[in-house]
Amino acid sequence: MRAFAYQTPKGEPRVGIQIDGKNYNFTYMWQIFKELKNSPSSPDIYFLQIIIEMENFSKTAFMEVFNTVQEMRGVQDLVIKTPIEYQVPIPRPEKIICLGRNYVAHAEEWNSDVPTKPLFFGKLPSSLLPNNGIIRFSKGIGRVDHELELAVVIGKTAKNVSEEDAMDHVAGYTIVNDVTARGMQLEDIKNGKPWTLSKGFDTFCPIGPFLIPADAVKDPHNLNMELTVNDVVKQKANTKQLVFKIPQVIAYISQFITFQPGDIICTGTPEGTLPIVNGDVVEAKIDGFGVLRNTVQEF
């Protein structure tokens, strides 16, 4: 079971779910479920983030709705028949926190030390880009790289969380491509400047296409990852290679920064980060998460 955000041909926002290869209009399914349960006070659901803020984003909750509606009146008319125009699954995160050098081989390929504590930085929410969106940048900014990452979406407020309790604060997972203006970043590092600009361009955070509930992922620390450019493999790894695991990251950062529902943590990229150029087709894949596909346009 996989959830996604999309819009209708008229541009109306919707929530969808994919079950056994079929895509369903969950927004309408939820409205039917509310009527069947006689709960008109429940909010309408046009965004995945609403479900997360309700602290009700789980495979169990989705399947309760699906199974109830299927049993009571059927679901065949809820199958989405038009091509899916994916939208960003989390449209308004308060924060996007990214891990740097969280794979040993990636640190080594850039002759950098592996950090002894989680090294993190921020990426701007305005950089988010949906599946099939176009990564755009000026030819004059120099080298731009792809960075495949597992993303964690926070499900409830987390402050001073222990490692033991950290996973209880996770709503789900998705794929992120932490696109980076590498030439600009290296120059900023050389001059002691932060990475905000090189990481924060519009379109530099492709995300999606699906948001997978935490209870639908057996082990987020054992997921195969792969990124291709024009069908050629450039990055290949497994999340078991993470230096700092998800509970460590949440516990450490929440000492200083309060996570809110919908916040995104990008857990770091493995080795193989290489340039992308005009016309490239970049596909990022994680076991069971679908394919995040974006094209590149220089202007």
Side-chain angles (χ1 to χ4, degrees), residues 22-25 29 75-82:
K22 289 186 177 181
N23 297 316
Y24 296 91
N25 181 339
M29 188 179 294
V75 295
Q76 289 309 306
D77 61 323
L78 303 180
V79 174
I80 303 169
K81 296 181 174 61
T82 57

Side-chain angles (χ1 to χ4, degrees), residues 78-98:
L78 303 180
V79 174
I80 303 169
K81 296 181 174 61
T82 57
I84 304 296
E85 185 173 347
Y86 291 97
Q87 299 298 295
V88 171
I90 304 297
R92 52 176 191 275
E94 184 179 274
K95 296 177 286 296
I96 304 173
I97 301 292
C98 303

Side-chain angles (χ1 to χ4, degrees), residues 21 33 68 70 81 84 96-97 100 153 158-159 165 179 239 259 265 271 274 283 286-287:
F33 178 79
T68 299
Q70 183 180 48
K81 296 181 174 61
I84 304 296
I96 304 173
I97 301 292
V153 177
K159 177 64 175 175
D165 295 335
V179 181
T239 55
F259 286 113
I265 302 173
E271 72 276 15
L274 292 166
E283 294 188 333
I286 296 179
D287 278 349

Side-chain angles (χ1 to χ4, degrees), residues 121-124 126-127 136-138 140-141 143-144 178-189 193-205:
F121 58 92
K123 203 167 175 80
L124 302 175
S126 56
S127 67
R136 293 185 172 93
F137 52 86
S138 167
I141 68 168
R143 172 174 170 170
V144 173
D178 175 20
V179 181
T180 303
R182 187 72 72 199
M184 184 178 291
Q185 182 195 33
L186 294 175
E187 185 67 22
D188 285 343
I189 291 172
K193 295 181 180 180
W195 305 354
T196 306
L197 181 57
S198 60
K199 293 282 188 177
F201 282 36
D202 291 350
T203 76
F204 269 28
C205 193

Side-chain angles (χ1 to χ4, degrees), residues 18-286:
Q18 187 179 93
I19 298 175
D20 296 331
K22 289 186 177 181
N23 297 316
Y24 296 91
N25 181 339
F26 185 78
T27 295
Y28 187 30
M29 188 179 294
W30 171 256
Q31 291 170 345
I32 295 169
F33 178 79
K34 287 199 305 176
E35 293 173 4
L36 293 172
K37 292 292 185 177
N38 193 28
S39 58
S41 61
S42 299
D44 290 330
I45 293 177
Y46 294 93
F47 301 98
L48 287 172
Q49 197 150 346
I50 294 174
I51 308 176
I52 292 171
E53 290 168 356
M54 293 166 59
E55 297 187 11
N56 204 27
F57 187 86
S58 68
K59 178 182 177 180
T60 300
F62 278 110
M63 292 309 298
E64 179 188 0
V65 175
F66 179 84
N67 290 332
T68 299
V69 175
Q70 183 180 48
E71 180 181 347
M72 298 297 291
R73 48 88 74 193
V75 295
Q76 289 309 306
D77 61 323
L78 303 180
V79 174
I80 303 169
K81 296 181 174 61
T82 57
I84 304 296
E85 185 173 347
Y86 291 97
Q87 299 298 295
V88 171
I90 304 297
R92 52 176 191 275
E94 184 179 274
K95 296 177 286 296
I96 304 173
I97 301 292
C98 303
L99 274 290
R101 305 175 196 164
N102 205 25
Y103 286 81
V104 172
H106 176 58
E108 290 176 345
E109 75 177 339
W110 290 100
N111 297 314
S112 299
D113 294 332
V114 177
T116 58
K117 295 179 181 179
L119 172 65
F120 64 94
F121 58 92
K123 203 167 175 80
L124 302 175
S126 56
S127 67
L128 289 168
L129 180 72
N131 182 54
N132 293 326
I134 300 173
I135 301 167
R136 293 185 172 93
F137 52 86
S138 167
K139 294 179 180 179
I141 68 168
R143 172 174 170 170
V144 173
D145 287 6
H146 57 72
E147 292 193 7
L148 165 65
E149 308 199 9
L150 168 69
V152 178
V153 177
I154 296 296
K156 57 183 177 181
T157 302
K159 177 64 175 175
N160 290 321
V161 174
S162 68
E163 290 186 27
E164 293 73 21
D165 295 335
M167 299 302 282
D168 293 337
H169 293 74
V170 174
Y173 305 93
T174 188
I175 307 170
V176 157
N177 183 358
D178 175 20
V179 181
T180 303
R182 187 72 72 199
M184 184 178 291
Q185 182 195 33
L186 294 175
E187 185 67 22
D188 285 343
I189 291 172
K190 177 182 176 181
N191 295 322
K193 295 181 180 180
W195 305 354
T196 306
L197 181 57
S198 60
K199 293 282 188 177
F201 282 36
D202 291 350
T203 76
F204 269 28
C205 193
I207 186 171
F210 300 103
L211 184 57
I212 316 298
D215 62 345
V217 178
K218 182 177 179 180
D219 183 1
H221 298 105
N222 189 19
L223 296 170
N224 291 317
M225 309 165 65
E226 182 180 280
L227 182 140
T228 63
V229 179
N230 304 325
D231 296 322
V232 178
V233 176
K234 301 296 184 180
Q235 291 184 277
K236 193 168 187 175
N238 187 288
T239 55
K240 64 186 177 183
Q241 298 167 304
L242 286 166
V243 175
F244 300 103
K245 309 302 184 188
I246 297 166
Q248 294 173 282
V249 171
I250 293 174
Y252 180 76
I253 297 176
S254 70
Q255 295 178 66
F256 316 105
I257 299 170
T258 301
F259 286 113
Q260 300 294 345
D263 284 348
I264 299 168
I265 302 173
C266 305
T267 58
T269 194
E271 72 276 15
T273 55
L274 292 166
I276 51 176
V277 297
N278 191 58
D280 280 347
V281 177
V282 183
E283 294 188 333
K285 309 167 189 176
I286 296 179

